[in-house]
Amino acid sequence: MRTPPLVLAYHGLARVSRAQDPMGLMVPPEQFRAHVARLAARGYEFVKQSEFARRLHAGEPLSGVCSLTFDDASVDNAVLFPDLLPELGVPATVFACPGLLGKPYPWLPPETGIRLMALEELRGLASLPFVEIGSHTREHTILGEASDD
């Protein structure tokens, strides 16, 4: 069975209506579980993003390697990951925006109740051996809208 390398980029795990989340940033937790189960059944090895990058730069084979990433550090990552990731036996990499920690989620209406992690929540998540934290720019700059400066 052909197993190309994969980097799956998620934002968060929550049930949010399409009307409140037109970009589909949130994935229901059961759908995430199904994604992981299907890839595990195909023999994928799950690694943190830093290990994926190390292997890529070292020229090591990446067939069958998968990295699960989560952009923006939404609070559901801090709430669900301590139990969910060990249960599934997979690591994840969370890319946080340091300048937005603790603020409302920029692309979801406040009534969803989804916000970005506060610093203490991010520190707690970072202390888990199966989670790594990366930076996703300070303020989540949209590069196509940024000035040349």
Side-chain angles (χ1 to χ4, degrees):
M1 181 179 313
R2 185 169 176 261
T3 53
L6 297 174
V7 176
L8 299 184
Y10 295 91
H11 284 85
L13 304 178
R15 282 179 214 86
V16 179
S17 74
R18 195 51 106 172
Q20 291 180 318
D21 182 14
M23 292 187 288
L25 297 175
M26 297 294 129
V27 172
E30 58 275 8
Q31 187 176 1
F32 174 72
R33 284 175 188 276
H35 293 167
V36 170
R38 184 168 186 188
L39 292 171
R42 290 187 68 186
Y44 272 90
E45 173 192 7
F46 294 88
V47 299
K48 295 175 184 173
Q49 185 64 33
S50 61
E51 175 61 14
F52 190 99
R54 187 199 67 73
R55 292 181 189 188
L56 177 67
H57 291 291
E60 296 176 17
L62 285 170
S63 178
V65 176
C66 181
S67 176
L68 303 171
T69 68
F70 289 80
D71 284 353
D72 307 333
S74 64
V75 72
D76 57 272
N77 301 156
V79 172
L80 296 175
F81 284 6
D83 294 324
L84 181 62
L85 296 180
E87 174 191 322
L88 296 174
V90 297
T93 302
V94 175
F95 291 101
C97 304
L100 299 179
L101 292 177
K103 295 185 178 176
Y105 204 100
W107 296 277
L108 295 175
E111 58 268 18
T112 64
I114 299 173
R115 62 171 171 79
L116 299 180
M117 279 185 237
L119 180 57
E120 287 309 311
E121 291 166 319
L122 187 64
R123 283 185 176 142
L125 197 61
S127 72
L128 302 174
F130 43 85
V131 175
E132 80 179 344
I133 307 297
S135 180
H136 183 30
T137 71
R138 179 160 176 74
E139 302 286 338
H140 202 300
T141 302
I142 307 296
L143 296 179
E145 299 172 7
S147 72
D148 289 340
D149 292 337

